[in-house]
Amino acid sequence: MRLINCGKIMRLLSLPLLVGFLGLLFACKGGQSPAEKVYVPPGKLDSYYAFLSGGHSGQIGVFGLPSGRLIKMIPVFAPDVAIGWGIDEGSKEIMGGYIWGDAHHPALSETNGDYDGRWLFINDTANGRIARIDLKDFVTKEIITLPNVGGNHASPFVTPNTEYLVGATRFSIPVPNRDVPIETYKENFNGVIAFVSVDKDTGHMENAFQILMPPFDYDLADAGKRVSYGWAFFSCYNSEEAYKDLEVEASQKDRDFIAAVNWKAAEEAIKEGKYKEINGVKVIDPQEVKGIVYFLPTPKSPHGSDVTPDGKYIVGGGKLAAVVTVHGFEKMQEAIKKGDFDGEVMGIPILKYESVRVAEVPVGLGPLHTQFDDQGYAYTSLFVDSAIAKWKLGTWEVVDKIPVYYNIGHLAAIHGDTVKPRGKFVLAMNKIAKGRYLPVGPSHPESAQLIDISGKKMEMLLDFPTPVEPHYGQIIDATLIKPELVYPLDQNKDPYAIKSADQARVERNGNRVDVYMIAIRSHFTPNILKFEEGDNVYFHITNLEQDVDITHGFGINFSNVDMQIEPGETKTVKWVAEKPGIYPFYCTNFCSALHQEMQGYIEVASKNSK
Ligand code: CUA
């Protein structure tokens, strides 16, 4: 009886208690402090990966959000001595003889217009290249050179099914490159818009085709999506065609352009053989092939060229203007049909501004780049104002503005340039972040700032420093990336792999010596090695471990050899036995309690001692 009564009382009490508790919970969540919104407790994982370009460091920074924790630097165009990137034979070959690159725009592969978590691409503005990183292991697998492109800046923005990566000239050059007077810039120099195809199974990149363009400076790009699928849009400045003092001479005109490229039509032209081959690439000349490219006049030296998630609008961030210009894709199609042109450049029709423009949104000074959320809003970075403006698609009204510290370049929202933006946060990448961190000398770290965009008003949550120099970023839902944590040894197809200690050996062929070595806690086999002065030694080291995070290192004293070998992986590194003597080698990556004991000796005999 007593028990039943108790239960009854509990039931009577429980409903209001539950309501009260849920109410409290809701109030707490709604009223979360900025610290609570970014706090990821020990042992918990972040919800998003942010990939931020590392600029002239040639690397990519991988951050967890919302915490802002730096998880990894991926070496791409520059050596990384910890991993051995640029030291071992495989990565040296991928780097193609360069030791630097200017990594600007990370681009995640897409399926149906949304990130699919397979690959990450990034351009090299300096040496005209694009790299592919496999998100299965966060390692750079391939770097392709885009011939004819001088300074590949507007790159490598992907088309909605990763059919293509784009590229374009920032610094026009003669095509093909040759010695002509710089003063003949207008006659002899050209820009190029490039399309690089991506194999849908392997990710392998190939130069598909290019389009010869006037010698403007092509800046940024975005692929058309949904209704504008099949098109790509490239901003460009310096339609003045200046080649010196651009600071003054390239800012004369009120409007430059966004180049709209019908890549489906370009594919047809290529099929019909309407191209000439320059440096091994099929190049379409718009003076001979019509209907491939059109110019949309856009004020003023536009930077960002961003297509809305529905694909209906192209937003141009005129960096010397106080507005963003919104062009309508449908209006553009009508204007093309009607031949609503205002002259042409190099055979490329210029569409009438009034015929394509839908709105000029008064966002503020120095609009650079626009991203989108899931509620129909756009977010534009304002370099001069040091702020982000939030504005409504369709009504074109500016609804909020938040200052950032200081001088924002780009910004990234979660899936913010796809057909399915996720909202929640926008990340400001600030260029001149004076005084945000403990001073470390004359150069101040760049800064990223995480901003909550889930409410009516944007709310500043967090600062974190970023390695030089983020030009662009993309943020992906962490559940879409599932990296492998060891390389299965039985799937190791490296021609120099060995699978057990009894296969370890040294093979000599003239003065080439191949060492087949294994690394496993906590020793190398073989670990006593004898060479002759002048030998070219190739160490092929297989890490036999199959446990997570048991990475071994291999460093040789008095040399530039060091690399990291992951569980199940084989890597090859070359070392020249230049001088007689004794050379210790050791494991450079902490692997076990006996890590310190993981070592060996090389003896190099003098030629004369024989
Ligand atoms: Cu192996 Cu440290």
Side-chain angles (χ1 to χ4, degrees), residues 105-384:
H105 313 114
L108 289 154
S109 55
E110 293 183 8
T111 300
N112 298 325
D114 197 10
Y115 305 151
D116 57 22
R118 300 180 77 193
W119 303 300
L120 178 68
F121 303 93
I122 193 153
N123 68 315
D124 167 16
T125 301
N127 297 313
R129 298 179 293 170
I130 297 176
R132 177 172 58 88
I133 292 111
D134 197 329
L135 294 176
K136 270 248 159 358
D137 57 2
F138 287 61
V139 173
T140 306
K141 297 293 156 130
E142 190 184 7
I143 296 177
I144 187 174
T145 298
L146 283 52
N148 308 321
V149 179
N152 181 34
H153 191 270
S155 180
F157 307 93
V158 307
T159 55
N161 290 300
T162 322
E163 296 95 337
Y164 295 107
L165 311 169
V166 302
T169 293
R170 174 165 159 204
F171 312 107
S172 287
I173 51 173
V175 178
N177 204 349
R178 59 198 184 274
D179 176 18
V180 295
I182 294 170
E183 293 72 18
T184 63
Y185 184 92
K186 285 187 193 201
E187 300 81 60
N188 282 325
F189 286 46
N190 279 103
V192 158
I193 283 176
F195 285 77
V196 171
S197 62
V198 178
D199 185 281
K200 66 181 190 319
D201 298 316
T202 63
H204 175 62
M205 302 179 288
E206 299 260 15
N207 283 292
F209 59 86
Q210 300 183 342
I211 301 160
L212 205 62
M213 297 292 290
F216 304 161
D217 295 35
Y218 299 83
D219 203 2
L220 287 169
D222 197 4
K225 46 194 95 152
R226 296 193 194 271
V227 291
S228 51
Y229 177 78
W231 290 73
F233 303 91
F234 299 77
S235 63
C236 58
Y237 58 98
N238 191 24
S239 55
E240 295 85 354
E241 303 184 0
Y243 58 88
K244 63 171 189 178
D245 305 329
L246 262 66
E247 189 182 17
V248 181
E249 292 175 18
S251 313
Q252 299 298 310
K253 293 189 182 172
D254 281 338
R255 288 182 196 139
D256 294 281
F257 301 110
I258 286 176
V261 176
N262 184 340
W263 57 261
K264 284 280 179 192
E267 282 178 340
E268 287 307 311
I270 295 290
K271 266 190 215 150
E272 289 161 18
K274 297 175 178 165
Y275 61 85
K276 57 186 169 194
E277 208 159 293
I278 305 177
N279 285 321
V281 187
K282 294 165 180 154
V283 182
I284 297 170
D285 185 342
Q287 288 168 113
E288 286 156 24
V289 189
K290 299 290 169 189
I292 309 278
V293 199
Y294 300 90
F295 279 132
L296 311 172
T298 306
K300 179 170 187 179
S301 298
H303 193 53
S305 168
D306 303 294
V307 179
T308 53
D310 58 12
K312 289 182 180 167
Y313 304 105
I314 304 105
V315 180
K319 63 176 182 259
L320 304 177
V323 296
V324 291
T325 305
V326 182
H327 296 301
F329 180 72
E330 215 171 286
K331 290 190 88 169
M332 183 190 90
Q333 294 287 52
E334 280 165 26
I336 291 170
K337 224 175 273 165
K338 281 195 273 178
D340 231 347
F341 304 142
D342 211 350
E344 59 168 52
V345 198
M346 223 187 100
I348 301 167
I350 301 170
L351 293 159
K352 280 206 180 106
Y353 182 63
E354 292 72 21
S355 306
V356 291
R357 181 215 52 201
V358 170
E360 288 178 351
V361 186
V363 287
L365 290 177
L368 290 188
H369 178 208
T370 300
Q371 293 261 292
F372 306 94
D373 72 6
D374 55 340
Q375 306 290 321
Y377 291 98
Y379 300 81
T380 300
S381 59
L382 305 169
F383 180 82
V384 178

Side-chain angles (χ1 to χ4, degrees), residues 5 46 58 138 175 186 189 250 272 283 362 366 370 383 393 437 483 489 511 528 583 598:
N5 278 343
D46 278 295
F138 287 61
V175 178
K186 285 187 193 201
F189 286 46
E272 289 161 18
V283 182
T370 300
F383 180 82
L393 293 170
Y437 309 100
L489 196 60
N511 74 340
I528 298 294
Y583 299 85
M598 194 168 169

Side-chain angles (χ1 to χ4, degrees), residues 520-522 524 551-553 587-592 595-596 598:
I520 190 162
R521 277 164 291 177
S522 296
F524 298 102
T551 297
H552 295 293
C587 177
T588 50
N589 195 88
F590 204 101
C591 56
S592 68
H595 157 74
Q596 198 77 355
M598 194 168 169

Side-chain angles (χ1 to χ4, degrees), residues 394-537:
T395 68
W396 319 117
E397 56 188 332
V398 177
V399 297
D400 192 21
K401 220 161 167 180
I402 189 170
V404 293
Y405 308 92
Y406 301 89
N407 296 81
I408 180 171
H410 285 272
L411 78 178
I414 299 167
H415 291 236
D417 56 3
T418 71
V419 298
K420 265 190 238 158
R422 308 293 205 263
K424 285 202 172 114
F425 301 111
V426 74
L427 189 71
M429 283 164 268
N430 304 322
K431 297 282 198 190
I432 308 172
K434 292 184 174 74
R436 299 303 287 180
Y437 309 100
L438 289 173
V440 288
S443 181
H444 297 228
E446 274 76 47
S447 178
Q449 291 185 307
L450 190 69
I451 294 157
D452 183 348
I453 56 167
S454 59
K456 238 179 146 175
K457 300 282 289 176
M458 290 181 277
E459 186 188 13
M460 179 64 70
L461 301 179
L462 177 75
D463 269 20
F464 58 91
T466 50
V468 288
E469 174 175 350
H471 290 268
Y472 203 88
Q474 289 198 326
I475 308 171
I476 182 173
D477 183 332
T479 60
L480 293 173
I481 296 183
K482 293 185 180 65
E484 57 187 5
L485 299 179
V486 296
Y487 297 113
L489 196 60
D490 55 9
Q491 289 168 33
N492 182 335
K493 297 276 184 285
D494 191 292
Y496 297 107
I498 54 174
K499 306 287 173 76
S500 65
D502 55 15
Q503 296 174 314
R505 64 191 185 274
V506 177
E507 288 177 357
R508 172 174 289 278
N509 205 328
N511 74 340
R512 175 181 168 127
V513 183
D514 289 277
V515 179
Y516 295 80
M517 185 184 273
I518 55 134
I520 190 162
R521 277 164 291 177
S522 296
H523 58 273
F524 298 102
T525 308
N527 58 5
I528 298 294
L529 292 159
K530 305 202 175 194
F531 305 127
E532 286 163 25
E533 186 181 352
D535 281 350
N536 292 310
V537 183

